[in-house]
Amino acid sequence: MAQPRIRHATKEDSQHVADLMVRLKRLNSEFDPLFMVVEDARERALDYVSASLDSPKVLLLVATQEAKVTGFLRAEIRERVFYKPHLEGHITDMYVLPEFRRKQLGHDILERCSSELAKMGAEIISADLPSRNEIGVHFYMKRGYRRLTETLTHLPQ
Amino acid sequence: MSSGAPLDPESEKALAYSKFYGGKVGTAPKVPVRSLQDFSVWYTPGVAAVSLAVQADPELSFEYTGRWNTVAVVSDGSRVLGLGNIGPEGSLPVMEGKALIYNYLGGVNAFALPIRVDGAEQLISVVKAMEPSLGGVNLEDIESPKCFEVLDRLRAEMSIPVWHDDQQGTAGVSLAALYGALELTERTIEGTRIVLFGSGAANIATARLLMEAGADPRKVVMVDKKGILYPERDDIDQLFVKNRWKYDLALKTNGDRLKGGLADALKGSDALIAAAGVGPNLVKKEEVAGMNRRSIAFFMANPVPEMLPSDALAAGVEVVATGRSDYPNQVNNSLLFPAIFRGALDVRARTITDSMVIAAAKELARHAKDKGLSAQHILPTMEEWEVYPQVASAVGDTAVREGQARKSVTKDELLHTAMEMIGRARKTMDALRSGGVIVEPPE
């Protein structure tokens, strides 16, 4: 089997990335009912991917294997108005198809992301994921990430 | 019974007899009490010397007390038979029955111990706390996937054998039946395409054991209510979160990445192991008709198998087995667990490994072969009581060779001990009955 390749996403990848984006959001829904996925998630994902491809502040990477998109990562540059370092690369979405997990692919995507975000000026990198996704949290912590902020959520009665 | 439906004769008897006897098992002395003076040895003050010796070396608890032959049959009552979550009290009659089988067929001093616990962590904690009193633990009727977490953790964290019969027992006896059927149909386990229909505790454990025994994961296909299991199925991430054992199998099995339903899985397969739910039409003739020639099918659901054996045979299946005693080839856990524990206890084993279960399955299959394999005889029956000591000695011997035994004994010694222990259990029953201690049930 050919080695996976990690590259910038293109418009030709949009459908595949949208599929994986919906899979990611459905995975998130397993952790908390407040991540319940909307019915038109696929259409929204396509719009979201398209907007991401057009934005100079967004990094969209795909992993491919024999022309199949096996994973993706989306990150964006954010300004930290009151803090130093000033520019933050924030990973909003990352997903690897089950069959390609446990093969270092997630690690390789994250490594590539780090170097690309550095080129975009990011001095620190953060990641966003459901707090109950212990496997995801472990994935980042194993690679030197630590908890910095807590997002507290309330559903008014 | 709340439904008001008429009871079958077995159920009527079970209710009447249970009330008559007030339970199925109890403790009995092992030592003589010739006069009350004997209690100064069996109890205080003499017993203090024994306690101090055991305190100095806790391993002596396997020699100076009944720990070495004691097994707790533990359940939280969360998935009892086909009745669902009926609670610990509801599970007690079932656990007592299991303890009785251990006693009669294995010579094991087993007792029922349903417990009221909240979740896997508390169950694990309670069972671990009981370790000093026990030679082994039989987990029973615990819902899936909680049972996987509980068994894996307890096997890793305790130094006595922990067994979940719904997983390991069913898997082991299925493997034994498969060995017999493979021999009869001139196949090897490595080259056989096996479909497992149903993905509860039994079939997940069976899939894991089959692969440990040499089955090629790429040739194993699992099918559940949603169809064939494969890595990109829509619900795989749900399994990733909620049932990592099934998720692992989704990644590991089905090398051809088959998709579709049971018929698609069975096309070109050699063997079917169905543990999917009460039949009789969960598996259809046209589905098994797509299997290779000289095919094998096990229908494990009770009381009604997923497909009636007559239908399977009419559709071309050569070897059929079920969980029922009124059809040929009963795949029954009771063939295995009393002997597994007999062997494990006799070497004071620290655990029951997959190799020990595989050795037991091979011994059962060998016994069936010695008596003559046929499409109606791929496994011994429970009446062939001589098979239990043989299986026990194979299990104990494997434990010794794997370094899991506290006590090193030869296979011949193990066979002798197992025959004596199991023989003694039968003699005890005969003596209790002939002496009028256990009276005949009411008419």
Side-chain angles (χ1 to χ4, degrees):
Chain A
M1 193 178 268
Q3 287 298 307
R5 185 180 161 222
I6 297 163
R7 59 171 171 77
H8 287 272
T10 65
K11 287 207 183 307
E12 285 69 41
D13 300 315
S14 298
Q15 299 283 344
H16 298 300
V17 175
D19 287 340
L20 299 190
M21 183 76 76
V22 174
R23 274 184 171 265
L24 170 65
K25 301 307 173 188
R26 288 200 177 124
L27 170 60
N28 288 348
S29 75
E30 296 296 327
F31 297 107
D32 199 296
L34 285 180
F35 290 120
M36 193 193 304
V37 177
V38 295
E39 284 169 8
D40 60 345
R42 181 63 169 54
E43 290 73 30
R44 289 176 186 236
L46 269 175
D47 292 345
Y48 186 57
V49 170
S50 176
S52 299
L53 285 167
D54 291 340
S55 170
K57 289 191 170 182
V58 172
L59 171 69
L60 193 58
L61 296 174
V62 289
T64 62
Q65 193 149 352
E66 293 168 350
K68 181 184 175 76
V69 175
T70 57
F72 84 100
L73 180 148
R74 181 190 179 280
E76 59 194 29
I77 298 292
R78 292 179 178 178
E79 267 189 67
R80 304 172 79 230
V81 177
F82 298 105
Y83 303 117
K84 294 192 283 188
H86 184 55
L87 283 184
E88 170 184 349
H90 184 75
I91 300 167
T92 56
D93 305 280
M94 180 179 175
Y95 184 85
V96 172
L97 278 171
E99 190 157 16
F100 300 90
R101 292 175 192 161
R102 303 174 185 174
K103 294 171 181 169
Q104 286 283 103
L105 184 56
H107 175 83
D108 292 346
I109 295 173
L110 194 61
E111 288 279 292
R112 177 70 184 269
C113 158
S114 300
S115 66
E116 293 295 332
L117 287 174
K119 287 181 204 166
M120 293 165 78
E123 295 162 283
I124 62 167
I125 303 173
S126 59
D128 193 21
L129 66 163
S131 57
R132 290 182 189 165
N133 182 355
E134 289 171 14
I135 295 173
V137 170
H138 179 73
F139 170 81
Y140 284 105
M141 293 187 106
K142 199 174 156 188
R143 288 160 180 83
Y145 287 66
R146 66 179 173 86
R147 291 182 196 277
L148 183 65
T149 61
E150 297 281 348
T151 304
L152 304 180
T153 307
H154 171 58
L155 181 64
Q157 297 302 311
Chain B
M1 304 285 272
S2 58
S3 69
L7 293 175
D8 61 72
E10 255 64 44
S11 301
E12 292 274 14
K13 273 188 193 172
L15 276 170
Y17 291 5
S18 293
K19 190 167 183 184
F20 178 76
Y21 288 108
K24 296 182 268 289
V25 287
T27 55
K30 291 172 68 181
V31 295
V33 181
R34 293 156 297 188
S35 75
L36 294 182
Q37 278 302 309
D38 281 337
F39 288 120
S40 64
V41 173
W42 305 137
Y43 194 49
T44 179
V47 74
V50 186
S51 285
L52 290 171
V54 174
Q55 183 200 20
D57 179 6
E59 289 289 296
L60 286 179
S61 61
F62 288 96
E63 307 302 324
Y64 286 180
T65 74
R67 180 182 181 184
W68 65 276
N69 196 36
T70 301
V71 169
V73 183
V74 177
S75 179
D76 64 354
S78 58
R79 190 184 183 280
V80 180
L81 305 177
L83 305 172
N85 188 344
I86 60 170
E89 288 88 351
S91 78
L92 186 52
V94 183
M95 303 312 128
E96 280 195 334
K98 193 92 181 190
L100 180 65
I101 296 174
Y102 265 118
N103 188 290
Y104 187 67
L105 294 177
V108 174
N109 181 32
F111 64 95
L113 195 65
I115 52 177
R116 187 177 295 114
V117 285
D118 184 16
E121 281 303 323
Q122 199 179 9
L123 204 166
I124 290 166
S125 170
V126 169
V127 174
K128 282 175 71 176
M130 297 189 297
E131 181 168 354
S133 300
L134 302 172
V137 176
N138 178 104
L139 302 169
E140 194 78 17
D141 289 349
I142 298 168
E143 66 193 341
S144 170
K146 177 167 63 179
C147 62
F148 301 117
E149 169 83 15
V150 170
L151 178 66
D152 286 357
R153 286 271 304 280
L154 290 178
R155 280 176 96 182
E157 295 173 21
M158 291 179 78
S159 296
I160 55 172
V162 182
W163 174 263
H164 182 211
D165 203 42
D166 304 304
Q167 293 184 60
Q168 295 153 291
T170 307
V173 77
S174 299
L175 177 63
L178 189 64
Y179 278 138
L182 294 178
E183 175 89 21
L184 188 69
T185 58
E186 298 174 317
R187 290 185 171 96
T188 63
I189 195 166
E190 293 82 4
T192 301
R193 300 188 73 84
I194 306 167
V195 174
L196 294 116
F197 180 40
S199 61
N203 261 359
I204 287 180
T206 299
R208 291 165 83 181
L209 189 68
L210 288 174
M211 291 186 277
E212 281 295 319
D216 183 346
R218 293 167 301 178
K219 293 177 181 169
V220 173
V221 176
M222 300 208 66
V223 184
D224 65 11
K225 286 176 190 159
K226 293 181 178 170
I228 295 173
L229 201 59
Y230 62 96
E232 288 185 32
R233 209 172 77 170
D234 278 349
D235 62 336
I236 292 301
D237 280 323
Q238 189 180 41
L239 297 176
F240 177 65
V241 177
K242 293 183 174 163
N243 189 338
R244 69 172 187 268
W245 299 269
K246 189 168 166 181
Y247 173 83
D248 284 343
L249 289 172
L251 301 193
K252 199 180 285 183
T253 61
N254 188 7
D256 292 334
R257 298 296 182 245
L258 298 175
K259 296 176 185 173
L262 181 61
D264 303 292
L266 286 175
K267 197 174 177 187
S269 69
D270 303 307
L272 163 66
I273 300 175
V278 176
N281 294 312
L282 279 186
V283 181
K284 298 181 176 58
K285 279 186 183 178
E286 57 270 27
E287 292 169 331
V288 296
M291 296 176 74
N292 287 336
R293 59 180 291 277
R294 308 207 71 187
S295 55
I296 300 159
F298 302 163
F299 303 105
M300 311 287 274
N302 276 325
V304 185
E306 289 84 350
M307 181 179 201
L308 294 177
S310 54
D311 288 342
L313 293 166
V317 177
E318 180 169 328
V319 185
V320 180
T322 70
R324 279 178 39 164
S325 58
D326 52 344
Y327 295 123
N329 298 326
Q330 187 189 19
V331 184
N332 183 344
N333 296 22
S334 299
L335 281 169
L336 203 68
F337 66 81
I340 288 263
F341 259 102
R342 183 70 276 138
L345 293 169
D346 286 343
V347 296
R348 320 291 189 255
R350 292 183 181 86
T351 185
I352 295 170
T353 62
D354 287 343
S355 308
M356 291 157 73
V357 184
I358 292 166
K362 283 182 175 169
E363 191 62 28
L364 275 177
R366 189 190 63 77
H367 191 85
K369 188 181 174 185
D370 288 350
K371 293 239 170 159
L373 287 174
S374 73
Q376 288 77 40
H377 186 253
I378 55 170
L379 268 179
T381 66
M382 283 172 68
E383 280 74 35
E384 297 168 51
W385 85 271
E386 70 277 10
V387 75
Y388 290 93
Q390 289 170 350
V391 172
S393 66
V395 170
D397 185 53
T398 307
V400 170
R401 283 189 286 105
E402 287 191 322
Q404 297 295 349
R406 289 180 169 86
K407 186 175 172 182
S408 188
V409 276
T410 67
K411 199 172 178 184
D412 282 346
E413 289 169 333
L414 282 167
L415 182 62
H416 178 78
T417 305
M419 287 178 76
E420 189 180 299
M421 291 297 295
I422 296 168
R424 187 184 299 171
R426 299 169 77 88
K427 275 187 210 159
T428 303
M429 174 59 78
D430 290 345
L432 291 172
R433 287 185 66 198
S434 62
V437 179
I438 295 178
V439 298
E440 294 304 300
E443 287 302 317

